Amino acid sequence: MAAAFADLGFAGTYLIYDLQPMILMQRYWLRYSGIPAHLGPDLPRSREAVLGQLVLESSLSSILRHRLDMGQLPQSLFIGTYSLTESDLATREQVRPLMRSFGVILLAFLEAFDSFDNVAYLRALGRWLRSSHQVLVWHKGHDHWYFLAVRFEVGQVHCDAAVNCGNDTLHRTLRFNSSYRLVEKAGCAPGAAVADVPPSPGLDETTSSIEHPSGLTFRMSILEPGGPEDDSDKIGRIRRGTWEAAEDPHIQRILDSDPNCSYPVFVDGGAAFGYYSLLAAQKHPCREVQAFNPHPMFAYAMRLNLEDNARAHRIDPSRVCINRLALSHKQRTLRLAAGYGSSLVNRSHRDITVNGLETAEVQVTSLDAFFRTHVPHEKRVLLVKLDIEGEEANALRGASHLLQGCRVRHWVISPHKQRHQSTVLRVLRDHGYRITFSEFDVEGQPNGMIAAEC
């Protein structure tokens, strides 16, 4: 566990409290792995001596209280995976008086260990903590359980399906009337899970990646399908962390405004290689992303970026859906060219090229039809972003129900034709939205931009 925290970049004080033989073995393996680790008896008897260090203390010692900065405990984590609940009662009582001061407590446990009834013990512990903490207990799998306690001032507890927490997995008796927010897995339409997106033969998978300031990476060949890898403009924009100079501040502000996902859904219309979808998924893991990416090449490009970042544990791909659908005002089949600036064309033009790029047949839907079939009506939407190559006004025509009742909190739209600007503004205002930005000539975006808030 200590090595995992070090790999994740944790640089604070890390105290391990364990049996003497175990701390000697842990010190050996930590040092073998190149992670500095100190035995408590080798350090002065003060909390200053352990600041920023990884220190191993014997559970037979009574020094733990002297190592802790009590003022920092509300911002600290107490973690005990099959340790506290497998100790004798005397050892548990050495630690328990300190636990209420911790901001977050996470225990993994079995309901019974040897002859000790952990359910009875944790029932008493939960009742003792519930005046200062929200307490949640749920099934981890098989005979294993999690006990989570979070101080009220730290924030709301999320019961997330990604860790098997749900109304049906909560412990039947260890319930403490704590409030929590249920976070379900993303409700992807059939074929829209990341792994469902098929490879695209037109995409070079061998190119290197560019790192965004957030730590996310994006593959170079995706930035200009069929173009040179040294596309310095797009590569530079990724490295600087600004893809669209006008849109980025609005989208970042909107995502930051809802850290607890009270409006859980983000709709990324025209997701391309997944820039905004990945940022939203990384920024708040509780966010559900419904990306619309109709062309096979862009959809597969987005899948590769998601998988790269998932392997590096930067995002949870289970909360991102790649819908290989174009958005307009009604359901039909048209053709679309892969590339920036392409547009939908009539299905009858089977061999047509757009800007020198071959087209692919794509399915078209409306936002109302999609939400009616695939998104529960009680789910609210933080943001609908529409950058869909001239179909923005039509997409709003197909969202008459979604526009009602402030179900969508924010819209950020890039009209690709100046004559559509007034149409988009009128529709948004007619449905009670306040326009917070409207320009057709904006920096970094030749298509204009409108931002609206309910």
Side-chain angles (χ1 to χ4, degrees):
M1 185 70 73
F5 271 70
D7 288 344
L8 290 169
F10 179 72
T13 304
Y14 195 111
L15 294 175
I16 296 176
Y17 194 59
D18 211 333
L19 298 172
Q20 185 72 20
M22 296 301 295
I23 64 173
L24 292 173
M25 183 173 69
Q26 289 178 70
R27 183 183 67 160
Y28 172 80
W29 283 110
L30 286 165
R31 288 187 168 183
Y32 181 82
S33 302
I35 301 171
H38 309 275
L39 293 178
D42 295 340
L43 300 174
R45 189 184 176 90
S46 68
R47 60 179 60 94
E48 290 75 20
V50 302
L51 287 177
Q53 306 291 332
L54 196 165
V55 180
L56 301 107
E57 293 283 5
S58 170
S59 56
L60 299 177
S61 164
S62 60
I63 197 175
L64 185 61
R65 181 179 291 273
H66 302 284
R67 295 298 198 197
L68 297 174
D69 182 346
M70 301 303 290
Q72 290 297 314
L73 290 192
Q75 290 81 48
S76 300
L77 166 67
F78 180 99
I79 186 166
T81 53
Y82 309 103
S83 51
L84 182 74
T85 55
E86 297 184 5
S87 304
D88 59 85
L89 188 58
T91 301
R92 299 184 192 204
E93 284 304 300
Q94 281 187 20
V95 175
R96 185 190 59 79
L98 300 169
M99 293 176 69
R100 182 174 278 166
S101 298
F102 279 87
V104 179
I105 302 161
L106 177 64
L107 307 176
F109 68 95
L110 299 170
E111 291 186 309
F113 181 75
D114 287 344
S115 60
F116 204 99
D117 183 354
N118 278 325
V119 173
Y121 175 78
L122 291 172
R123 183 180 297 111
L125 180 66
R127 288 171 176 169
W128 179 68
L129 288 169
R130 66 184 178 185
S131 62
S132 54
H133 290 67
Q134 303 160 86
V135 183
L136 202 63
V137 183
W138 74 96
H139 192 215
K140 179 185 174 188
H142 301 293
D143 298 324
H144 305 271
W145 298 84
Y146 280 129
F147 176 104
L148 176 68
V150 179
R151 288 190 67 88
F152 294 121
E153 62 267 28
V154 170
Q156 186 179 30
V157 171
H158 288 73
C159 181
D160 197 325
V163 291
N164 201 48
C165 187
N167 288 329
D168 58 341
T169 62
L170 296 180
H171 197 280
R172 59 193 177 281
T173 62
L174 294 177
R175 302 200 178 197
F176 303 97
N177 296 322
S178 294
S179 63
Y180 63 89
R181 178 169 182 79
L182 184 64
V183 181
E184 300 174 335
K185 290 183 179 178
C188 291
V194 173
D196 293 335
V197 177
S200 173
L203 188 69
D204 182 2
E205 299 181 33
T206 64
T207 53
S208 58
S209 296
I210 306 160
E211 186 169 349
H212 186 271
S214 66
L216 293 170
T217 59
F218 298 91
R219 298 205 184 190
M220 291 176 68
S221 64
I222 290 163
L223 295 177
E224 189 63 64
E229 287 188 14
D230 63 348
D231 187 342
S232 57
D233 177 48
K234 292 183 174 66
I235 291 171
R237 285 153 63 185
I238 294 288
R239 287 181 174 147
R240 292 191 299 272
T242 302
W243 180 246
E244 301 279 9
E247 288 185 3
D248 277 27
H250 291 272
I251 292 176
Q252 294 280 8
R253 176 184 60 79
I254 292 167
L255 294 176
D256 287 339
S257 72
D258 185 34
N260 291 322
C261 301
S262 299
Y263 288 74
V265 180
F266 167 47
V267 174
D268 191 357
F273 60 91
Y275 182 85
Y276 291 113
S277 290
L278 268 71
L279 285 179
Q282 181 199 44
K283 187 178 286 288
H284 299 119
C286 55
R287 187 75 59 215
E288 175 182 325
V289 178
Q290 293 287 352
F292 288 84
N293 227 339
H295 198 282
M297 184 180 292
F298 272 140
Y300 186 52
M302 183 175 175
R303 170 185 167 173
L304 292 176
N305 282 332
L306 280 163
E307 290 178 338
D308 288 347
N309 288 281
R311 279 191 292 271
H313 307 291
R314 301 184 191 107
I315 59 173
D316 175 10
S318 72
R319 299 197 57 73
V320 180
C321 306
I322 306 176
N323 300 286
R324 286 170 284 155
L325 299 166
L327 290 173
S328 189
H329 63 291
K330 63 181 180 179
Q331 294 175 302
R332 51 185 171 161
T333 302
L334 294 174
R335 299 188 70 82
L336 177 71
Y340 302 94
S342 63
S343 58
L344 293 171
V345 295
N346 192 288
R347 185 182 181 184
S348 63
H349 299 283
R350 296 188 179 276
D351 300 318
I352 197 170
T353 61
V354 177
N355 296 330
L357 298 173
E358 293 185 2
T359 61
E361 189 171 271
V362 298
Q363 298 301 312
V364 183
T365 191
S366 68
L367 283 168
D368 279 347
F370 180 86
F371 268 74
R372 183 167 56 248
T373 306
H374 301 297
V375 182
H377 66 87
E378 69 274 7
K379 275 192 177 179
R380 298 187 294 177
V381 182
L382 177 65
L383 168 65
V384 175
K385 185 218 95 185
L386 294 177
D387 189 350
I388 49 178
E389 311 303 338
E391 287 295 311
E392 294 79 17
N394 280 336
L396 282 184
R397 286 174 58 196
S400 58
H401 291 288
L402 192 60
L403 282 159
Q404 296 175 9
C406 285
R407 184 178 179 184
V408 178
R409 185 73 185 274
H410 299 273
W411 296 79
V412 172
I413 302 173
S414 299
H416 282 60
K417 299 175 182 177
Q418 193 159 10
R419 68 178 184 273
H420 291 167
Q421 189 98 353
S422 59
T423 301
V424 170
L425 289 170
R426 176 180 53 76
V427 171
L428 291 170
R429 286 176 174 138
D430 286 350
H431 287 86
Y433 283 88
R434 179 174 65 90
I435 306 303
T436 58
F437 185 92
S438 175
E439 295 287 343
F440 193 75
D441 184 14
V442 295
E443 182 184 359
Q445 172 58 276
N447 309 312
M449 196 193 99
I450 294 170
E453 177 180 359
C454 192

